[in-house]
Structures are given as C-alpha cells and as structure tokens.
Amino acid sequence: MALPLDLLMFAALIAGILLGYPVSFSIAGVATLFAGLGWALGVFDISLLGALGQRVFGLLSNDVLIAIPLFVFMGVILEKSRIAEELLETMGRLFGNIRGGLGVSVVLVGALLAASTGIVGATVVAMGMIALPTMLRNGYSPKLASGIVCTSGTLGQIIPPSTLLIILSDVMSNAYQQAQFAQGKFTIETISVGQIFAAALVPGLVLVGIYILYLLIRAWLLPNDAPAMSEEVSKPSLSEISRAILPPVILILAVLGAILGGVATPSEAASVGAIGVVLMAGIRKGASPVLILAGGISLILLAVLSGLFPVRLQRSDIGAFEISMAGLYILLTLTGALAIALSLRQIFKNDILKPALTSTMTVTAMIFATILTASVFSLVFVGLGGEDRIAEILQSMPGGATGALIFCMLIIFVLGFFLDFVEITVILLPLIAPALILMGHDPMWLAILIAINLQTSFLTPPFGFSLFYLRGAAPKEVTTGQIYLGVVPFIGLQILGVLAIWLFSDIATWLPGLLY
C-alpha cells in the first residue's frame, strides 16, 4: 500500500506552522521536502516543478491582485491620520445614551471602516485603543466589550472592498473555469471581483444587523453587561456628525460605486481610494481645505469629462473645441497634482507617510509571499495525487452535494483555528472548490459562504488574528481569557449568518444578478 504522501504533506504543513516557523517558509519548505521524497519513492514527476516559473509570472502579472497594496495603504492612512478615531468618538456620543448604544456604535464604525478599507488589523487596533477603554469605563462587561471590538474589526473581511474577497474572487474564478473545462465547455464564463463584491455586500450588512440585534437584546436582558453611558457627554452637532461620517461615506461611494457601477476595475478604484484618503488625511493634518477640495473636485471632473469627451491631440483634424478641452484637462490635472503634493507634504511632516508605507509593504509582502509559496505547495500536492484523493473523498460523502459542502465548511472552520485566511484560501480552496462547483453549487453563493467561514478564523482561538491584535492594544486589566471568552457568542452569530445565507441564497445572489 502506497504511503498517502499528499495527506502527510498537509499534516506536516500544519505541524510546521504550529511550531512557530514563518508561514511562507513553512509552506515552501514542506513542498520542497515532499517533492524530493515523492521523487525518491517514484510517486512524483519532478518535471512538474518546471511549471513554477509560469505560475510565479502569472501571479505577478495578475491585475486583480494589484488592488491589495492600495487597499492596505488606505486602511493604514485612515488609522494613522486619526480619521477612524474621530469617527468612533462621534458615534459613541451619538448612541451612548441608550443601553448597548456604545457597542452598537462600535459595530457601525467597524462596518464603515470595513467598507472604506477592508483592513482588519488597523480597525481592531484603533477600536481597541479608543473604544474598549471607553466601554470599560462606562461599566461594560470586559468579555462583551472585547468580543464587540474583535468581531467589528473582522467585518473588513466580508464587507467589500476586502483583501480576502479579492484573493477569493481570483481563486473561485480559476476554480469555476476548471469546473467548466471538466464539463467539456470551451466557451467559459468567469467571475469578476465586482461580482464577488456585489455578492458580499448584502450578507455583510446582514451580519451587521445580527450583531446589533444581539447587542440590543443582551443589553435588555442583562443591563449590567452593556449599560448606557454614565459619563456626561454632549450630543454631537449635525456639523460634527457630518465632519466625521461624510469623508468615509464619500470614500465608500467613490471606491465601491466605481467597481459595482462598472466604471473602474478594482485596481483603478483602489487607486482612486488611495488618492482620496491621502487628500482626507491632508485636510485632517492642516493642509488648506480650499486647495485640497479644489484638487479633489478637479480630479473628479477630469475623470468624468475625459470619459465623455476624449481628446487625441495627435489627430490632424482637431479643432478649437478639442484644443480648449485639452487645455482644461491640463489645468485640472495640475490642480489635482498640487492638492496631492500638498497633502503628501502635510502627512509626511506629521510622520504619517513613512510608517504607512512601511506597514503597507510589510502586509503586502506577507500576503504575496504566502500566495507564491502556496502555488509551490499546490503544485506538489496535485502531483502527489492529492487533487484526485480530495475529489474521491467529496464524492463519497453521504448526503451528496450538500454533505460534501457541509464537510468542506467544517474543514475550513477547523483549519481556521490554526491557519490564516490567506493560507486556507490559496492552499485548500483551489483543491475543493472545482469539485463543489461540479456538484452543482453556485460559485458566487459558495464564495460568500466560504468568506464568512474564513472571517470566523480571525476570532477562533488559539490563533485568531483579531485576538492577537486586541491583546496588543487592550488595557492590562483585560485578560487574555476574557478576550477569548468574549468572542465565543460572536462565533455563534457567525455560524447563524452562514445558516441564513445557506437557507436564503438570494441574500448573496440577488445583487450580482441585478448588476451583472
């Protein structure tokens, strides 16, 4: 009987990560080790590794993934320029006088920040430093307060734009294409990032509603867990609310509106968001609001007018109208460039730009290193027969397609205790998703179910990233045990969200069907 090297390979990867080795090195090291072992035993064709160069080039030239560093940059700038802090403070004052109101404000701010940037770490750290002490000071249960902050921060993974959804859309699109080839179809359909974003938007808002409903019911049943604010704080004025909420809302409309409306690709929309957040931070840190607003309006006009009236000066038949429009475009470009330069100068002077760029490069390098090494892992795993073994396991599951999906969801949930969402997405999903699609599951509905399941991996001990982020930002009086216990009810709410989308698939498929 041949050794099940494919299954041993997966077990060795989990063991390597649990031992504390860097994830990307663990993935590449295990893949190299088992490729050599399989070749020595005569069960692996070493020439398969010749495809690595093509895989690496395909990853580095993937237009979809260009959006990741831009969205990361947006999140870091929002956090470091204290725009997120002002939003939290204002929302706390707005809802704090009702039971559970502070918790509701944290959930709403988490949703707004998620729709602005999609970065979990920045959101959890910001709310852990600002909202958590406020909730504790006003008598909130430390466990409940910790659970609220951790869970609200993870909304950045399901509410678009999100790095998880960008990576997931690429993986699911490839799986969908593989499934169609396996069915003998050669005129294939693909899945775009915009479709996945549209599919995730309503489920994300449903999760926000579930969290808020739970908080209000718990505050009513256990008033000592989430009392109204005891501090005397003034209600924010309409201008204060507008100043705090309008910038992120405008950013959301610019980025998501451009993607869902088909005006821009995700990478183009992400670049619009990155410029927008730089201009917002510039105003926040003392640059002239008039000049920055003029520059922002100029850039918007430039985008709209150049689309409606494109000018090509190299043509021989241009007239006075084309020449005057070209002059206007040059003026708008210079005004926008001046606003960007002033904002960059201001955030550089306030020591925001350099740390933001460093954080962006660190997070982006981590994500791309994991995706690259996962490509090596999956190539070796498939070469050892792992893909066929997984297809056999899924086909033999009792309950047919539903049984196979339940099994896969349970595997993803359990792996979430030990692995990061990037590792699960780029290692496991390419192996199971084609088989699940071939069994008849809708790929977009499937993607959203998996996305919420992966979002839960941020909350599940012992390696939930949100737990680590909060542990680093929380006051010393909040123990690690309280943080771990605090997320347990919210893990249950995540499972409830998965069940809701499972039973009512239109929650995930209605909006992409309408828009696309």
Side-chain angles (χ1 to χ4, degrees):
M1 182 178 175
L3 282 170
L5 284 183
D6 48 352
L7 300 182
L8 289 174
M9 183 180 177
F10 215 94
L13 172 63
I14 294 175
I17 291 171
L18 290 178
L19 286 171
Y21 290 105
V23 171
S24 52
F25 294 151
S26 297
I27 296 171
V30 167
T32 306
L33 179 66
F34 276 82
L37 185 60
W39 179 56
L41 295 173
V43 295
F44 179 74
D45 182 2
I46 202 72
S47 65
L48 280 175
L49 295 180
L52 277 180
Q54 188 177 355
R55 285 195 167 205
V56 171
F57 179 77
L59 172 69
L60 296 179
S61 57
N62 189 329
D63 290 340
V64 171
L65 300 180
I66 295 171
I68 290 175
L70 293 167
F71 283 131
V72 173
F73 178 74
M74 285 169 59
V76 178
I77 289 285
L78 266 184
E79 185 236 331
K80 293 189 181 297
S81 62
R82 308 182 84 82
I83 293 171
E85 181 179 335
E86 184 180 4
L87 183 60
L88 268 168
E89 183 191 347
T90 306
M91 295 291 275
R93 287 165 55 199
L94 186 62
F95 292 101
N97 63 344
I98 61 172
R99 280 187 198 170
L102 271 177
V104 170
S105 70
V106 171
V107 172
L108 291 174
V109 170
L112 278 172
L113 293 178
S116 304
T117 66
I119 307 303
V120 169
T123 307
V124 172
V125 169
M127 293 198 294
M129 295 175 71
I130 307 156
L132 185 58
T134 305
M135 285 193 283
L136 295 175
R137 201 164 53 242
N138 283 278
Y140 269 62
S141 157
K143 288 187 288 188
L144 177 61
S146 301
I148 293 169
V149 171
C150 284
T151 309
S152 301
T154 65
L155 287 169
Q157 290 307 304
I158 188 62
I159 295 179
S162 134
T163 51
L164 165 61
L165 294 177
I166 292 169
I167 299 169
L168 188 62
S169 68
D170 188 54
V171 170
M172 291 303 292
S173 182
N174 291 334
Y176 188 34
Q177 291 174 53
Q178 284 180 44
Q180 290 173 92
F181 281 131
Q183 290 170 330
K185 296 179 182 177
F186 296 101
T187 305
I188 58 170
E189 299 175 22
T190 59
I191 298 173
S192 69
V193 177
Q195 286 173 292
I196 296 293
F197 278 9
L201 189 57
V202 177
L205 296 176
V206 167
L207 275 181
V208 172
I210 290 173
Y211 298 157
I212 290 174
L213 192 61
Y214 167 75
L215 286 173
L216 293 175
I217 292 172
R218 180 163 174 169
W220 179 63
L221 294 174
L222 302 168
N224 290 332
D225 272 8
M229 282 184 76
S230 57
E231 301 173 346
E232 286 296 325
V233 291
S234 59
K235 278 275 188 182
S237 65
L238 188 60
S239 64
E240 286 178 311
I241 295 170
S242 302
R243 184 170 178 262
I245 293 177
L246 275 182
V249 168
I250 291 170
L251 197 64
I252 292 164
L253 292 175
V255 175
L256 277 186
I259 296 171
L260 299 181
V263 177
T265 65
S267 51
E268 291 166 348
S271 63
V272 169
I275 293 297
V277 83
V278 165
L279 296 177
M280 284 163 52
I283 293 176
R284 187 79 170 73
K285 291 300 174 185
S288 168
V290 175
L291 282 174
I292 302 300
L293 287 173
I297 292 168
S298 297
L299 292 172
I300 294 168
L301 284 173
L302 179 64
V304 173
L305 291 175
S306 60
L308 294 174
F309 307 106
V311 173
R312 295 176 178 84
L313 293 176
Q314 69 270 30
R315 289 176 54 173
S316 58
D317 59 344
I318 61 168
F321 175 75
E322 286 83 2
I323 292 172
S324 61
M325 290 303 292
L328 175 62
Y329 294 166
I330 292 169
L331 179 63
L332 292 174
T333 303
L334 291 174
T335 307
L338 177 62
I340 294 169
L342 288 173
S343 294
L344 287 172
R345 177 173 172 271
Q346 206 64 32
I347 61 176
F348 179 78
K349 280 171 60 180
N350 283 272
D351 200 27
I352 293 172
L353 186 60
K354 186 179 176 182
L357 291 174
T358 304
S359 296
T360 301
M361 289 175 66
T362 304
V363 174
T364 305
M366 180 196 74
I367 291 172
F368 275 82
T370 305
I371 297 173
L372 275 171
T373 52
S375 184
V376 185
F377 185 94
S378 62
L379 189 64
V380 176
F381 188 80
V382 169
L384 290 171
E387 193 173 40
D388 295 334
R389 188 185 298 275
I390 285 175
E392 288 171 16
I393 291 171
L394 294 182
Q395 291 288 350
S396 63
M397 280 288 121
T402 303
L405 181 53
I406 292 171
F407 174 74
C408 290
M409 292 294 282
L410 287 173
I411 289 289
I412 292 169
F413 181 75
V414 172
L415 286 177
F417 283 77
F418 310 105
L419 300 179
D420 181 26
F421 77 94
V422 179
E423 295 133 39
I424 299 174
T425 306
V426 297
I427 295 174
L428 180 66
L429 294 191
L431 303 173
I432 63 172
L436 290 172
I437 294 170
L438 279 170
M439 288 178 172
H441 294 298
D442 181 274
M444 275 187 290
W445 174 76
L446 183 62
I448 301 311
L449 283 180
I450 292 171
I452 297 177
N453 202 343
L454 289 171
Q455 181 194 353
T456 312
S457 71
F458 277 85
L459 301 174
T460 45
F463 297 118
F465 274 67
S466 280
L467 309 177
F468 289 147
Y469 292 139
L470 184 60
R471 177 64 280 168
K476 290 180 181 177
E477 62 264 26
V478 178
T479 65
T480 303
Q482 287 172 330
I483 294 174
Y484 279 23
L485 288 171
V487 297
V488 172
F490 291 94
I491 293 171
L493 295 178
Q494 292 284 116
I495 295 169
L496 185 63
V498 169
L499 286 174
I501 290 156
W502 191 305
L503 296 173
F504 305 102
S505 59
D506 284 351
I507 296 174
T509 57
W510 169 75
L511 187 58
L514 182 70
L515 295 176
Y516 296 92

